[in-house]
Amino acid sequence: MTAASSARSILTRLHDVMASRTSAQDKLDRVVDIIGEELDSEVCSIYLLRDGMLELFATRGLNKSAVHVTRMGIGEGLTGTIAQNVETLNLAEAKAHPDFMFRPETGEERFHSFAGVPIVRQARAIGVVNVQHVDPRRYEEVEIEALQTVAMVLSELIDNAGLVDTEQAKSLQHDGQVQAEGLVLAKGLGSGRAVFHQPRVTIEHTMAEDIEAERQRVYRAFDTMREQIDNMTSQAEFGTGGEHEEVLATYRMFAYDEGWGRRINEAIDSGLTAEAAIERVQQRTRMRMREIDDPLLADRMHDLEDLANRLLRIVSGQLGTAATKGLREDAILIARNLGPAELLEYDRRRLKGVVLEEGSLTAHVVIVARAMGVPVLGRVANLRALVAEGDTLLLDADKGQVTIRPQAALVDAFEARFAQSKKRQAELAQLRDVEPFTRDGTRITVMMNGGLRDDLTSLKLVGADGIGLFRTEFQFLVSAALPARERQLRLYRDVLDAADGKPVIFRTVDIGGDKSLPYLRNEGASADENPAMGWRALRLALEREGLLKLQARALLEAAAGRELNVMFPLVSEPWEFDAAKAIFDDQLAFLRSRKAKLPEAIRFGAMLEVPALAEVLDLLLPKLSFLSIGTNDLTQFLFAADRANPKLAQRYDWLSPAILRFLARVVQTTQAAPTPVDLAVCGEMGGRPLEALALLGLGIRRLSITPAGVGPIKELVRKVDLAEIGAAMNGWLLNPPLDMRAALSAWADERGIAHD
Ligand code: PEP
Ligand code: MG
């Protein structure tokens, strides 16, 4: 007998029971008889969760007087173990198992063999169905499979009859509070209910009415899924999707795997609906994989789980992500990974944080999250197994922790911290209109970095002196195709309108390498082995002139009648600046010939991110109005340490003598330029208090930093005496202390300058 025919003959009989108009108890009594007979077992028992215990609800073969009397805890005895681990047991000799526990009232001492499977609802056991036999024999695979199939149908019956409180089952089997660690991708605190970006499907109907119709549903769902995967693959090439190419390749492999489809078909043959069949096959695969202890396979299992969930969502018509349904309360989003465009679909007011199984510091989604002010924790291992939909989560993306189902005391402590951080925000907000003068009366320019339309709100909120770095590529990254000139123009114009006379420095697109875009396909961009050092930013823009021309036109038109500040990224040699500026000059000439309204003034600047440029800076400076040091890229090149590699994230300090001496030289060279050039730092370094202090000591007077840093840095500036920090820094540069950070920190402490 095959597994399908064995299950099918039971399901055919169960069908009548399910359809009958008798009580739930009566149905269970009949079900245990049917299973017992079909599996040739003296005993069949059903235990269900009630008030936190597994209670014997129906039995054939054990003493009937034990029904509703025999109870055991989760994890207690064989039945409790099955429920706790949500795992099948198949034993020739039950007593030989270490978890065996004898219950005299049941009269089970006569029976030797034992098999039990969990009855599962929303990934939690709500009960257990067992069979026992007098002969000491292990049940055959087909019998176990039949029992598992029956357990699925039982879960529907139990749910419909309201015999078990599913919510209670959830809280019982999750071991209370769990704390998980991850990598801080975007700082901040947030709390809310866990929402899965890709929601899990609850199966409503398990027994098929029309097997052929179910088969057709699965065929159609497979077609749709394959189409989706193909689309995702092309989106990934656009750099806008959330999944890595490697994952997508595995998705494709499974999506086109005939074995998977065949197994689902067999499960349908046994009488299950399409949804139940997909879940049934997935359960079986999960069990097999548990027996193989191989991390590589475990990864692939994640892929298959994702795909099975996708197939389930398609077949059940529960399409879309959690964003489609909308967030109903404060939420922390849970995902394996996420694309920037996907993140932008969520309601910002309710989205309090994001926790990812993957993710990296420079992932586009993280850059966007930072701009949205949403904290992000990444690389949380096994996240989706630890968290259940609706769990309360406390996300501490300052410390790199997420607490799942926190105890009350912890919630209180978290809220206290949260309140304190809000109070601090409020204090800082007071500084909005305060100008950052140092103690000795020097005005420091504190600007902010931006790139999204939403950033304009921050500009007003934090009271920055302007936007010192507007990352124009954000718009390119969150669109599926090259933004047309009109769209670019509209954004730039809106930004200038909102800035209301404050300067905005537009950086021309910094794309390429790992941020590949559709119109760059097949041109080697994504083939870079070393994307940060690859064909990116200005290097790419000079070869794909059309791209820069389009942007130049949009910027020049947007700034008609106003001042335009343009900055080129990753300039490595002076001629690159000349070539880029020439493109703007051409566009300007064209607009002039058309008698279009021109910008009132155009200022050009360059980013210093490539160390080689520092050696020829004197040649470039006479051409510039401003120079901005991009310490993010600069330090990765100075130390030859990938800025996206979490293993290196803490290895090299921005406060190392190498970096500080390098910056000191750049300051000197710039000060010696024949015409004044505004010198700024626009990397993340400038937004951190001790680092900002060091930069002031080096002679930097302009910073462009993350919006959240503007308040704290203004506060710091007002406590600093420039002559004093300048002298201290000179000394430290000549004779670097062993620990520069400790030295600066002590210096700040002595003067009551906060720097946490
Ligand atoms: C930098 O490299 O320091 C910088 C500001 O640019 P981005 O982070 O966008 O590369
Ligand atoms: Mg850079």
Side-chain angles (χ1 to χ4, degrees):
M1 185 183 259
T2 67
S5 63
S6 169
R8 187 162 182 171
S9 92
I10 306 182
L11 288 199
T12 312
R13 292 181 64 186
L14 284 190
H15 194 272
D16 297 338
V17 176
M18 299 276 278
S20 66
R21 293 177 155 267
T22 55
S23 70
Q25 179 67 52
D26 188 43
K27 282 179 184 163
L28 289 181
D29 290 339
R30 288 166 63 188
V31 167
V32 288
D33 278 335
I34 294 172
I35 301 172
E37 282 163 25
E38 290 284 335
L39 294 186
D40 192 17
S41 295
E42 284 89 348
V43 179
C44 175
S45 315
I46 293 174
Y47 291 81
L48 299 182
L49 263 184
R50 179 185 276 183
D51 300 330
M53 301 286 280
L54 286 160
E55 180 175 310
L56 181 63
F57 259 67
T59 187
R60 147 198 163 106
L62 298 184
N63 294 337
K64 293 276 186 209
S65 56
V67 170
H68 297 302
V69 172
T70 294
R71 306 178 84 212
M72 56 196 76
I74 306 273
E76 213 183 332
L78 296 178
T79 301
T81 305
I82 292 167
Q84 184 171 47
N85 301 343
V86 198
E87 203 167 39
T88 295
L89 278 183
N90 181 11
L91 309 167
E93 186 53 78
K95 295 186 194 79
H97 193 279
D99 291 327
F100 178 76
M101 210 178 57
F102 179 53
R103 285 301 177 93
E105 74 274 13
T106 60
E108 63 184 333
E109 57 275 22
R110 294 189 298 123
F111 306 106
H112 292 272
S113 59
F114 172 99
V117 305
I119 303 169
V120 180
R121 201 79 187 154
Q122 292 175 3
R124 305 279 169 262
I126 53 167
V128 174
V129 52
N130 294 334
V131 285
Q132 288 170 277
H133 198 283
V134 279
D135 295 338
R137 66 163 178 103
R138 261 171 76 91
Y139 280 89
E140 286 178 29
E141 192 76 358
V142 286
E143 294 173 309
I144 297 292
E145 297 232 339
L147 199 57
Q148 286 165 336
T149 303
V150 170
M152 290 199 75
V153 177
L154 276 177
S155 91
E156 183 190 337
L157 186 159
I158 291 159
D159 198 54
N160 285 346
L163 291 174
V164 166
D165 179 354
T166 319
E167 281 306 306
Q168 192 193 41
K170 246 193 219 177
S171 62
L172 273 172
Q173 280 156 82
H174 258 141
D175 331 307
Q177 178 178 309
V178 176
Q179 216 153 38
E181 309 279 322
L183 180 73
V184 175
L185 298 179
K187 284 188 154 209
L189 302 175
S191 66
R193 297 281 188 161
V195 169
F196 280 69
H197 174 60
Q198 307 272 6
R200 297 272 148 95
V201 170
T202 307
I203 295 168
E204 308 288 351
H205 301 294
T206 52
M207 266 204 270
E209 293 295 332
D210 176 348
I211 287 184
E212 207 36 53
E214 296 301 320
R215 211 189 301 287
Q216 291 308 320
R217 290 179 67 215
V218 165
Y219 284 149
R220 280 197 301 273
F222 259 99
D223 282 347
T224 309
M225 181 177 68
R226 287 172 185 153
E227 224 170 87
Q228 286 184 355
I229 306 294
D230 292 343
N231 279 342
M232 281 160 76
T233 310
S234 55
Q235 269 187 20
E237 285 165 18
F238 292 178
T240 53
E243 306 297 348
H244 296 315
E245 278 173 42
E246 191 190 331
V247 172
L248 288 173
T250 317
Y251 279 3
R252 281 184 68 105
M253 188 184 83
F254 284 132
Y256 287 91
D257 175 37
E258 288 184 2
W260 189 26
R262 196 185 57 242
R263 284 189 290 278
I264 293 175
N265 247 321
E266 281 167 9
I268 289 179
D269 278 341
S270 71
L272 293 175
T273 57
E275 287 89 341
I278 296 166
E279 180 56 25
R280 179 72 204 90
V281 169
Q282 201 52 21
Q283 277 179 358
R284 198 185 309 154
T285 317
R286 254 177 240 142
M287 270 188 346
R288 297 240 161 92
M289 295 299 246
R290 259 192 227 183
E291 288 157 17
I292 313 167
D293 187 16
D294 178 337
L296 223 75
L297 274 181
D299 262 1
R300 297 290 76 90
M301 186 60 204
H302 276 309
D303 299 336
L304 184 57
E305 287 276 356
D306 285 349
L307 218 54
N309 193 35
R310 180 176 288 269
L311 193 60
L312 267 177
R313 292 196 293 131
I314 295 170
V315 90
S316 61
Q318 298 176 33
L319 297 168
T321 65
T324 323
K325 281 196 203 139
L327 302 175
R328 274 181 297 241
E329 53 190 334
D330 285 358
I332 305 280
L333 193 62
I334 304 292
R336 177 181 183 162
N337 217 342
L338 207 60
E342 289 171 321
L343 179 64
L344 284 166
E345 279 174 21
Y346 284 92
D347 178 353
R348 206 172 150 166
R349 286 162 307 174
R350 297 226 163 113
L351 184 64
K352 300 299 173 189
V354 177
V355 187
L356 303 174
E357 255 166 43
E358 299 179 350
S360 77
L361 279 165
T362 52
H364 310 144
V365 63
V366 174
I367 295 175
V368 171
R370 257 184 234 137
M372 286 167 75
V374 175
V376 186
L377 189 67
R379 310 249 169 136
V380 179
N382 223 10
L383 171 69
R384 288 172 305 163
L386 296 173
V387 179
E389 185 102 37
D391 277 350
T392 299
L393 301 182
L394 304 180
L395 171 61
D396 187 337
D398 286 338
K399 287 196 190 147
Q401 271 178 352
V402 58
T403 311
I404 304 155
R405 299 175 295 278
Q407 286 158 3
L410 206 78
V411 177
D412 292 347
F414 189 85
E415 272 168 11
R417 264 195 72 203
F418 210 16
Q420 204 167 15
S421 117
K422 283 218 177 99
K423 197 169 142 229
R424 173 109 180 99
Q425 301 289 329
E427 275 168 25
L428 293 171
Q430 303 284 313
L431 290 174
R432 196 183 60 184
D433 301 319
V434 173
E435 293 195 43
F437 281 98
T438 58
R439 274 181 44 214
D440 47 319
T442 306
R443 175 69 159 86
I444 303 296
T445 304
V446 183
M447 306 208 278
M448 57 163 258
N449 297 341
L452 292 172
R453 198 177 283 275
D454 283 350
D455 291 325
L456 305 171
T457 332
S458 304
L459 181 62
K460 294 199 180 71
L461 236 55
V462 299
D465 286 318
I467 298 185
L469 165 65
F470 189 87
R471 292 175 161 109
T472 59
E473 67 274 10
F474 277 15
Q475 188 187 24
F476 289 63
L477 290 174
V478 298
S479 328
L482 170 70
R485 184 168 56 91
E486 291 72 27
R487 268 190 65 206
Q488 292 189 45
L489 189 147
R490 220 176 310 135
L491 174 67
Y492 305 151
R493 188 182 284 152
D494 290 350
V495 172
L496 287 169
D497 286 348
D500 201 17
K502 287 184 176 177
V504 178
I505 298 180
F506 290 98
R507 171 175 78 179
T508 59
V509 279
D510 184 357
I511 48 164
D514 64 335
K515 305 178 198 167
S516 84
L517 296 172
Y519 46 92
L520 299 174
R521 265 186 299 170
N522 309 321
E523 295 195 37
S526 55
D528 274 340
E529 269 191 28
N530 228 329
M533 296 200 276
W535 190 56
R536 60 173 273 213
L538 199 55
R539 300 167 181 183
L540 175 154
L542 289 177
E543 277 173 55
R544 298 285 310 187
E545 230 186 64
L547 179 74
L548 197 54
K549 255 189 203 162
L550 204 71
Q551 187 168 36
R553 267 280 291 285
L555 284 167
L556 290 165
E557 287 178 343
R562 307 188 255 209
E563 180 184 85
L564 174 65
N565 290 284
V566 179
M567 176 159 80
F568 302 120
L570 212 81
V571 176
S572 311
E573 294 192 312
W575 70 263
E576 291 170 335
F577 173 87
D578 296 336
K581 181 171 174 291
I583 292 173
F584 274 76
D585 288 341
D586 282 351
Q587 290 306 311
L588 190 67
F590 171 80
L591 287 173
R592 190 174 285 127
S593 72
R594 288 286 183 100
K595 310 242 177 311
K597 191 170 180 188
L598 305 178
E600 208 171 59
I602 309 176
R603 299 173 77 238
F604 287 99
M607 285 187 79
L608 173 60
E609 304 181 273
V610 179
L613 186 67
E615 298 299 326
V616 286
L617 198 55
D618 56 320
L619 307 178
L620 178 66
L621 285 168
K623 308 166 194 257
L624 302 183
S625 295
F626 56 90
L627 179 73
S628 197
I629 309 176
T631 47
N632 302 342
D633 274 313
L634 180 66
T635 48
Q636 81 165 339
F637 297 135
L638 274 178
F639 274 117
D642 182 352
R643 72 190 240 191
N645 188 333
K647 291 200 193 77
L648 300 176
Q650 262 122 27
R651 180 173 287 249
Y652 302 106
D653 196 336
W654 272 316
L655 295 178
S656 75
I659 292 174
L660 298 180
R661 282 185 176 175
F662 186 95
L663 295 178
R665 275 206 301 135
V666 172
V667 172
Q668 277 163 18
T669 314
T670 310
Q671 283 169 350
T675 48
V677 174
D678 287 343
L679 175 64
V681 165
C682 67
E684 299 301 310
M685 179 179 178
R688 297 166 49 129
L690 280 187
E691 281 81 347
L693 193 59
L695 292 172
L696 292 173
L698 290 172
I700 300 281
R701 301 290 177 255
R702 306 171 74 86
L703 297 170
S704 188
I705 59 184
T706 175
V710 172
I713 296 300
K714 272 188 178 185
E715 191 183 50
L716 175 134
V717 162
R718 286 156 49 83
K719 296 195 173 145
V720 176
D721 182 294
L722 285 179
E724 228 187 330
I725 185 65
M729 187 48 77
N730 265 341
W732 289 325
L733 287 182
L734 285 172
N735 290 305
L738 262 185
D739 186 342
M740 185 75 83
R741 182 167 291 278
L744 260 157
S745 159
W747 190 93
D749 288 343
E750 279 162 28
R751 287 155 186 80
I753 300 176
H755 55 83
D756 49 319

